Amino acid sequence: MNIKKNLFFFLIVIFSFAVFTQGQDANEHIKRAKDFANQKDYKKSIDEYSRAIQLEPDNAFTYLLRGAAYFLLGETNEALADCTKAIQLKKDYALAYQMRGSVFSAMVEYDKAVKDYTKSLELNPEAPICFLLRGGTFLVRKEFDKAISDFSRAIALKPDYKEAYYFRGGVYQGIKEIDLAIADYTRTLELDPNYVKAYIDRGNSLWKKKEFEKAKDDFSKAIELDPSNATAYYDRGCMLSEIKDYHNAINDYTKALDLGHKSGYNNRGNAYKKIGDLEKAIADYDAAIRLTPNVPLYYSNRGNAYKKKGEREKALMDLTKVIELEPKDADGYFDRGDLYDDMGKYDMAISDYSKAISLQPSEKKHYNYRGITYDNMKEYQKAISDYSKAIALSPTYSSAFNNRGNAHYHARQYKEAVSDFLKAVELDPKYAAAYCNMGKVYKDMEEYEKAIANYDMAISLAPENAPYYVWRGIALASNRQYEKAFLDIEKAM
């Protein structure tokens, strides 16, 4: 949120009144200084103020004006000196305290900024912009209740203060009071229907509420009002990705990139990966890494794209880089462990999964996947133990029940396997793989009718899965239903 923009308008107001406050000789320099400031030629503006100060060295307002020009030029030390001089000359100068507070805020000296804003408000308690500026400082200090209070007091003093509504909406959004945020953004737009940032931020709030069409309308309105707004395209692209509209998301990310929003490379890469265009995904991750070489996420995404592409060595290099950059990142070890399992390097996979568990012991997927590797190593009791830990962390974790059922099946513990598969399909009635696995257990138990019934369920849920027809064909053949078995094997082929 750009509090500084509002400060800029405050400074312009100072400049606009300058001509009415000086002696005639100094006034000529002030007029010229004002003209230069309006042209954003702050160096010449400062020269003219300095000449006015030479003529009237005890005029606090001239120091304040020059301080404002220094501030807009980015010379904060000089701005600070001039504001302090103005206060020395005029102890009860509310405007000077307000201006110096803004300088301190720009210098990231927030305690001093708050102190000066507070002094300014003691001297002039009906200054809405000072409440706005102090609220902004509270916001960056993450003192959200104080920020809300100050923005609300600004609104009480100036009921049509659109910026105060907008910034308060931003605080509400940050603390996840989404309905209050939307109400404030809506009020901002009632006061100014062309407030582009309010459309973008309301769009983001509506997106958080899963009101995707309304959010899309707001992002689109922002683009209509400002076709060069990269953030509006980028945020709309992110929302479209969430609702799996990847092609349109790619279009938005591309437009955002064309307009200079470099964060779009990683997200566009993710969208390309989702539609299976791994070459373009990797090219985008390459671009993201070239721009910001030390972001672990970019290497993680590229590594997983290489893995999906079958280029395991390149994937391994990237996932190892993630760990080098962020050695405390449990997901980095998890992803590399998954790759090692895929490569058949089970001991290394176990080592990485174990490290992930030590870093994040409450994450269910780490136990579940280590269990899969133990299962691949035929260490079924260790696998069962890990799946049980995952289930203890998340009793509705249907995948862990299915996997534990498989481990029981491989250990020939058929009763326990059936119990786990039944629980998996109870939790997820559309879990085709669990029905298929249960069919395998019943087939080995020579309960062919039950096996066939479970394969029927699996096929009804996933009719394009050829192995399900093979397994049902085997069960049918075992049950001496040879003609049906032949038809299933034919379908699978």
Side-chain angles (χ1 to χ4, degrees), residues 133-178:
L133 294 169
R134 191 176 68 173
T137 305
F138 283 134
L139 176 56
V140 297
R141 295 204 312 185
K142 301 188 186 304
E143 296 181 56
F144 301 123
D145 288 343
K146 290 180 179 179
I148 289 169
S149 174
D150 269 1
F151 295 141
S152 298
R153 291 171 79 178
I155 290 166
L157 289 165
K158 186 180 177 182
D160 61 348
Y161 204 172
K162 63 184 180 183
E163 288 83 5
Y165 284 105
Y166 173 72
F167 294 136
R168 191 175 67 178
V171 183
Y172 283 135
Q173 187 179 53
I175 62 174
K176 297 182 171 54
E177 293 282 358
I178 303 301

Side-chain angles (χ1 to χ4, degrees), residues 184-233:
D184 271 353
Y185 292 137
T186 300
R187 180 59 180 148
T188 305
L189 291 166
E190 288 170 356
L191 292 166
D192 181 359
N194 296 319
Y195 204 129
V196 172
K197 288 184 178 180
Y199 281 111
I200 294 172
D201 288 339
R202 189 175 69 176
N204 280 308
S205 292
L206 290 163
W207 171 17
K208 283 183 172 65
K209 289 191 70 178
K210 309 295 183 185
E211 296 186 29
F212 298 115
E213 285 303 315
K214 289 182 180 179
K216 184 178 176 182
D217 287 344
D218 270 356
F219 293 135
S220 299
K221 182 64 177 179
I223 290 166
E224 176 191 323
L225 291 168
D226 182 7
S228 64
N229 194 302
T231 300
Y233 284 104

Side-chain angles (χ1 to χ4, degrees), residues 168-380:
R168 191 175 67 178
V171 183
Y172 283 135
Q173 187 179 53
I175 62 174
K176 297 182 171 54
E177 293 282 358
I178 303 301
D179 289 332
L180 293 174
I182 290 170
D184 271 353
Y185 292 137
T186 300
R187 180 59 180 148
T188 305
L189 291 166
E190 288 170 356
L191 292 166
D192 181 359
N194 296 319
Y195 204 129
V196 172
K197 288 184 178 180
Y199 281 111
I200 294 172
D201 288 339
R202 189 175 69 176
N204 280 308
S205 292
L206 290 163
W207 171 17
K208 283 183 172 65
K209 289 191 70 178
K210 309 295 183 185
E211 296 186 29
F212 298 115
E213 285 303 315
K214 289 182 180 179
K216 184 178 176 182
D217 287 344
D218 270 356
F219 293 135
S220 299
K221 182 64 177 179
I223 290 166
E224 176 191 323
L225 291 168
D226 182 7
S228 64
N229 194 302
T231 300
Y233 284 104
Y234 177 79
D235 288 357
R236 190 174 68 178
C238 292
M239 189 214 71
L240 291 169
S241 288
E242 183 172 325
I243 60 175
K244 297 181 171 53
D245 188 356
Y246 298 118
H247 291 283
N248 282 320
I250 287 166
N251 291 337
D252 273 354
Y253 290 137
T254 301
K255 186 65 177 178
L257 285 164
D258 290 343
L259 292 167
H261 201 303
K262 301 307 180 186
S263 298
Y265 283 114
N266 179 65
N267 284 26
R268 190 175 68 178
N270 290 339
Y272 277 129
K273 187 164 64 174
K274 289 290 187 181
I275 63 173
D277 195 334
L278 297 177
E279 291 291 342
K280 287 183 179 178
I282 289 167
D284 270 353
Y285 297 138
D286 289 344
I289 289 167
R290 281 195 301 273
L291 285 168
T292 341
N294 294 318
V295 178
L297 177 64
Y298 300 163
Y299 290 96
S300 175
N301 288 338
R302 188 174 70 178
N304 284 308
Y306 277 131
K307 178 190 171 190
K308 196 170 183 181
K309 197 167 179 260
E311 297 186 31
R312 293 172 176 171
E313 291 304 322
K314 288 182 178 179
L316 182 58
M317 287 177 63
D318 272 352
L319 297 179
T320 300
K321 182 68 174 178
V322 173
I323 293 167
E324 288 174 6
L325 290 169
E326 188 52 75
K328 300 293 186 182
D329 179 20
D331 284 336
Y333 287 99
F334 172 83
D335 287 342
R336 192 174 67 175
D338 190 40
L339 176 63
Y340 278 136
D341 180 86
D342 196 44
M343 297 169 76
K345 297 182 178 182
Y346 298 132
D347 288 337
M348 298 179 83
I350 293 294
S351 176
D352 272 356
Y353 287 137
S354 298
K355 182 65 175 178
I357 288 168
S358 71
L359 291 167
Q360 199 176 20
S362 62
E363 176 50 59
K364 62 184 181 181
K365 71 176 181 181
H366 300 334
Y367 294 101
N368 188 41
Y369 277 76
R370 190 173 68 174
I372 292 170
T373 302
Y374 277 131
D375 203 341
N376 290 334
M377 297 169 75
K378 298 183 170 42
E379 296 192 35
Y380 302 127

Side-chain angles (χ1 to χ4, degrees), residues 394-403 420 423-425 427-428 431 434:
S394 178
T396 59
Y397 196 2
S398 59
S399 175
F401 279 106
N402 177 66
N403 291 338
D420 274 346
K423 186 63 177 179
V425 298
L427 292 167
D428 182 2
Y431 202 160

